[in-house]
Amino acid sequence: MREIVLDTETTGISPNDGHRLVEVGCLELFNHVVTGKYFHAYIDPERDMPEGAFRIHGLSAEFLRGKPKFAEVADDFLAFIGEDPLVIHNAAFDLGFLNAELARISRAPIPAARATDTLDIARRKFPGAQNSLDALCRRFGVDNSGRTKHGALLDSELLAEVYLELMGGRQPGLVLQAEYAGMHGERVARAPRPIALPPRLSEAEEAAHDAFVATLGGEPLWPVAKAE
């Protein structure tokens, strides 16, 4: 399964107040593994940069002046994300800005249903706890020491690690479950087998194995115990 971890930086907190997108960063996961493929762009917001926003991400109006407009990167961005699920921390914020930019160039919005919101997952798993990206990095031991400022691509890289931890680790499908779901969805401990299963090898198969081992010569590296 292909998923896209996505983050944005902006000039403010609401596109309804005239704030604009200034950076987009995304990276690809395939079966919960980072592939190394990514999309990143700085965007000229065609407006000033408020001091509060600058303190968060460090992107000045001077730095962004002359960078591509959103219309110039939209096709590459949309091609990269395709129709695949998106992983976003506080998805309503990022999708709100992306869809406002898409509306300006008469492109279809990205449906909210495509997004897995890691903030929502974290709030359900850790109610009452701090669930910012920095807080989740600390919780899961993800190294965020390089995050002196917010940055869309760096934050996507950190979020990918946090997301995998929220989903149960880097290989959640390989975890041996010690529990199973009860009739009403509750977690029920798996009881140990009261009687061991009988050996599945026939006497003829055991004799054939012993004969083969005898042809190898030398002593085994570890003792071989036969079934009773």
Side-chain angles (χ1 to χ4, degrees):
M1 179 179 66
R2 183 177 189 261
E3 297 170 288
I4 303 298
V5 184
L6 182 152
D7 188 61
T8 67
E9 300 298 335
T10 69
T11 66
I13 62 173
S14 175
N16 296 329
D17 295 332
H19 289 293
R20 302 288 301 273
L21 208 62
V22 297
E23 186 184 9
V24 179
C26 345
L27 57 84
E28 179 186 71
L29 299 179
F30 192 79
N31 289 339
H32 288 179
V33 175
V34 177
T35 67
K37 296 180 181 179
Y38 68 91
F39 172 88
H40 178 250
Y42 292 113
I43 297 165
D44 185 346
E46 304 177 83
R47 56 154 291 163
D48 65 312
M49 179 63 67
E51 181 61 26
F54 175 73
R55 286 198 300 269
I56 291 173
H57 50 58
L59 301 176
S60 67
E62 291 74 22
F63 172 79
L64 295 167
R65 191 172 299 121
K67 295 293 189 290
K69 310 293 193 297
F70 181 80
E72 298 171 64
V73 303
D75 286 342
D76 288 342
F77 166 70
L78 292 172
F80 183 82
I81 68 171
E83 298 297 324
D84 297 299
L86 306 175
V87 178
I88 310 173
H89 199 68
N90 193 9
F93 177 88
D94 298 89
L95 289 182
F97 274 93
L98 285 166
N99 286 336
E101 297 290 349
L102 289 168
R104 283 189 178 92
I105 58 173
S106 302
R107 304 294 288 269
I110 300 170
R114 278 184 62 181
T116 295
D117 191 339
T118 50
L119 178 59
D120 182 56
I121 296 172
R123 283 172 172 168
R124 285 187 276 112
K125 288 178 73 79
F126 311 116
Q130 292 185 345
N131 288 307
S132 67
L133 183 56
D134 280 333
L136 291 170
C137 285
R138 290 192 297 271
R139 175 181 290 275
F140 293 123
V142 174
D143 182 7
N144 66 339
S145 57
R147 195 188 189 227
T148 56
K149 297 282 187 182
H150 289 212
L153 189 57
L154 172 61
D155 287 1
S156 292
E157 293 169 356
L158 295 173
L159 181 58
E161 295 190 61
V162 165
Y163 170 60
L164 296 179
E165 294 295 338
L166 286 170
M167 299 303 289
R170 290 188 175 276
Q171 294 177 304
L174 299 181
V175 175
L176 299 178
Q177 297 295 329
E179 299 179 334
Y180 63 96
M183 293 180 61
H184 304 290
E186 72 277 14
R187 305 305 293 176
V188 182
R190 189 183 299 277
R193 186 181 296 277
I195 301 175
L197 290 173
R200 288 172 169 78
L201 293 176
S202 67
E203 292 184 5
E205 289 170 327
E206 286 194 31
H209 174 73
D210 290 342
F212 170 73
V213 171
T215 68
L216 300 178
E219 293 296 323
L221 296 178
W222 53 85
V224 178
K226 288 188 177 181
E228 296 296 332

